[in-house]
């Protein structure tokens, strides 16, 4: 069974600092990996999707890397803003097409 | 707006009540999902429907009963729930169960069982 771990569970930084969120997974036989954002009381919004054959994806201030062999992904958020405050979830899609989620990292960006 | 709506957004029910959660997607997708999100725990996949046929049932207790009358609507019928069933229930849809595309999530129903 795929296990997804996110470290740290919570993170608080001053505005302008770069954010580094980590995700690890136990089974490297994956189809793809996604990073989602969840705001309080709301559903999930997809941020970046990395196929198993890719090493990274970028969108604006966000960059996600994937090292499938070591079972790791990192989400970088450059020059953080208070609007980046949210919970960030990592999800891995296995070859059975199921998504396995981590418990998330809750980020607070202080103005 | 993600194109996936859920009603009600909040629900409080007693253990002897019967209620239903509704999900509707306006994206023309063929696959729909129910997830449970408990505090500080990862999302748990409950059910998957593909082209209105249930293809996954992840050992969910029978007090949860899904229904998919057409490809745009998904229900979760609840009866004789337990306090530990209190959670955020999220619905999602995707073009296909097997493609690499992302799932689109609704805002969720916050359920409290007393």
């Amino acid at each position: 069974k795929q296990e997804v771990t996110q470290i740290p569970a919570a993170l608080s930084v001053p505005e302008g600092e770069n954010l580094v969120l980590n995700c690890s997974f136990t089974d490297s036989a994956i189809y793809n990996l996604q990073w989602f954002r969840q705001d309080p009381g709301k559903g999930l919004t997809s941020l970046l999707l990395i196929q198993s054959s890719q090493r990274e994806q970028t969108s604006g201030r966000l960059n996600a890397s994937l090292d499938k062999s070591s079972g790791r992904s990192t989400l970088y958020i450059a020059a953080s803003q208070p609007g980046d405050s949210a919970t960030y979830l990592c999800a891995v899609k296995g070859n059975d097409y199921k998504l396995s989620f981590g418990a998330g990292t809750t980020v607070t960006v202080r103005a | 707006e993600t194109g996936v709506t859920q009603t009600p957004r909040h629900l409080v029910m007693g253990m002897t009540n019967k209620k239903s959660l509704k999900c509707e997607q306006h994206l023309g997708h063929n696959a729909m999902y129910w997830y449970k999100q408990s505090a500080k725990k990862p999302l748990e996949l409950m059910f998957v429907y593909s082209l209105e046929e249930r293809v996954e049932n992840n050992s969910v207790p029978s007090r949860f009963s899904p229904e998919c009358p057409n490809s745009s609507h998904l229900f979760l019928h609840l009866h004789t729930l337990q306090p530990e069933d209190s959670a955020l229930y999220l619905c999602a849809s995707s073009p296909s169960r097997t493609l690499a595309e992302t799932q689109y999530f609704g805002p969720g129903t916050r359920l409290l069982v007393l």
Side-chain angles (χ1 to χ4, degrees), chain A:
Chain A
K1 179 187 173 187
Q2 179 76 267
E3 300 286 342
V4 181
T5 304
Q6 291 187 246
I7 294 174
L11 186 59
S12 179
V13 299
E15 183 176 4
E17 193 165 298
N18 296 332
L19 288 164
V20 180
L21 309 181
N22 297 299
C23 172
S24 62
F25 47 95
T26 55
D27 186 351
S28 62
I30 65 170
Y31 197 61
N32 61 41
L33 181 144
Q34 282 187 261
W35 284 93
F36 289 89
R37 170 181 172 142
Q38 185 175 28
D39 292 290
K42 296 191 176 181
L44 279 62
T45 301
S46 179
L47 297 174
L48 291 167
L49 185 154
I50 312 175
Q51 302 296 346
S52 62
S53 59
Q54 297 175 320
R55 298 283 293 185
E56 67 175 348
Q57 280 287 335
T58 298
S59 177
R61 293 183 294 111
L62 277 59
N63 174 274
S65 65
L66 173 64
D67 185 342
K68 197 172 69 165
S69 60
S70 67
R72 295 178 188 272
S73 176
T74 302
L75 177 66
Y76 301 89
I77 303 178
S80 61
Q81 303 168 359
D84 295 328
S85 298
T87 296
Y88 292 84
L89 299 169
C90 170
V92 173
K93 180 177 267 191
N95 291 329
D96 58 359
Y97 309 115
K98 293 183 185 179
L99 276 179
S100 298
F101 283 84
T105 294
T106 298
V107 171
T108 302
V109 180
R110 308 186 302 272

Side-chain angles (χ1 to χ4, degrees), chain B residues 71-89:
Chain B
S71 59
S72 299
H73 294 85
L74 185 65
F75 294 89
L76 188 62
H77 303 299
L78 316 172
H79 65 98
T80 59
L81 294 192
Q82 304 298 310
E84 60 265 29
D85 297 322
S86 299
L88 180 68
Y89 288 84

